[in-house]
Every structure is written in C-alpha cells, then in structure tokens.
Amino acid sequence: LFSSDLAEADLVERIGSVLADARGKRIEVFVRTVDELESIVAQNPFPDAAGSRHMVFFHAAAPEADLIAKSRDIGGERLVLDGRELHVDYGEGIRTTKLKIPGKLERTARNMNTVRKLAQLLRA
C-alpha cells in the first residue's frame, strides 16, 4: 500500500522497472486506487458468497469480453467480468474446483475479505 501523485501509467512503469531489475525479467504490474477498491467492494456481484470463497482477479487492462466463455470446466462456480476485474464465487471452495480460466499468469487474485481490508487500510 502506498500513496503517490504520479499517474497510473508512470507508476506502472517505475514499479515494473524496479521489479525487472530485481527479478531479471519483466513482470506485469497493476495498481488500484482506494476509490477503485471501494467500488469493487460496493458493487460486489456476489453479496451472498462467503468472502473467503469469492476471489477477485485483478488485470492490468480489461480482459477480452469473452474471457468467461473461454473458461473451461465451470461447475458450481459463478463468474462475472466487471471492467478490469473478474469475480469468481467458488461456492463449495477453491480446493476442489476444476475451473480453468485462460491467461492465469496475467493476473493476481485476492479474496473479497482481503479486498475489503485493503480498502479499509487505504482509506484510514
């Protein structure tokens, strides 16, 4: 968590350069503002889901509109694409899922409990 007056593109470039120097390769970087995190929480498409089983997959840019259609082995999971985030309610839990979402190396995910906590920490 950090604060900056830089534009998102400048932050992504700076952080990406530092990570590339440290890791020896380019790593996809994304940032979200406190307002964006709070919006994700407020517009939760699965308010009935357990926060620990509702994963929010963050993308640097909006993924292809057919990402859900390209996903395979959807069982009891519910998926909603909203801008740069993919919401997945794993229902019975992530341990037993067979769900395969394309581009798994192009994003990171946090459960909704963590997204809520990050938004609270940033606002404080």
Side-chain angles (χ1 to χ4, degrees):
L1 304 175
F2 62 90
S3 63
S4 175
D5 293 328
L6 294 175
E8 181 177 336
D10 295 331
L11 280 169
V12 166
E13 179 55 36
R14 283 189 182 190
I15 294 168
S17 293
V18 169
L19 290 173
D21 289 345
R23 302 291 309 252
K25 65 178 180 177
R26 199 75 180 164
I27 298 170
E28 178 122 31
V29 173
F30 70 90
V31 295
R32 295 295 188 273
T33 65
V34 63
D35 291 337
E36 288 171 320
L37 287 176
E38 287 176 341
S39 177
I40 291 167
V41 171
Q43 296 178 27
N44 179 354
F46 307 124
D48 60 325
S52 62
R53 294 181 180 176
H54 172 180
M55 299 298 290
V56 181
F57 291 86
F58 294 91
H59 298 80
E64 296 176 4
D66 62 350
L67 178 66
I68 294 172
K70 289 181 176 178
S71 297
R72 297 187 338 253
D73 300 326
I74 299 173
E77 301 88 2
R78 297 183 291 172
L79 292 82
V80 170
L81 187 57
D82 185 17
R84 297 190 296 171
E85 284 73 46
L86 172 67
H87 295 260
V88 179
D89 171 19
Y90 282 94
E92 296 301 314
I94 200 167
R95 258 185 324 129
T96 59
T97 188
K98 304 258 190 272
L99 177 63
K100 292 171 191 66
I101 304 167
K104 111 179 182 181
L105 298 178
E106 299 168 4
R107 63 182 169 270
T108 189
R110 298 295 180 269
N111 70 38
M112 186 54 84
N113 292 339
T114 300
V115 174
R116 280 189 195 103
K117 186 63 175 177
L118 289 171
Q120 290 169 353
L121 290 169
L122 280 167
R123 185 55 71 191

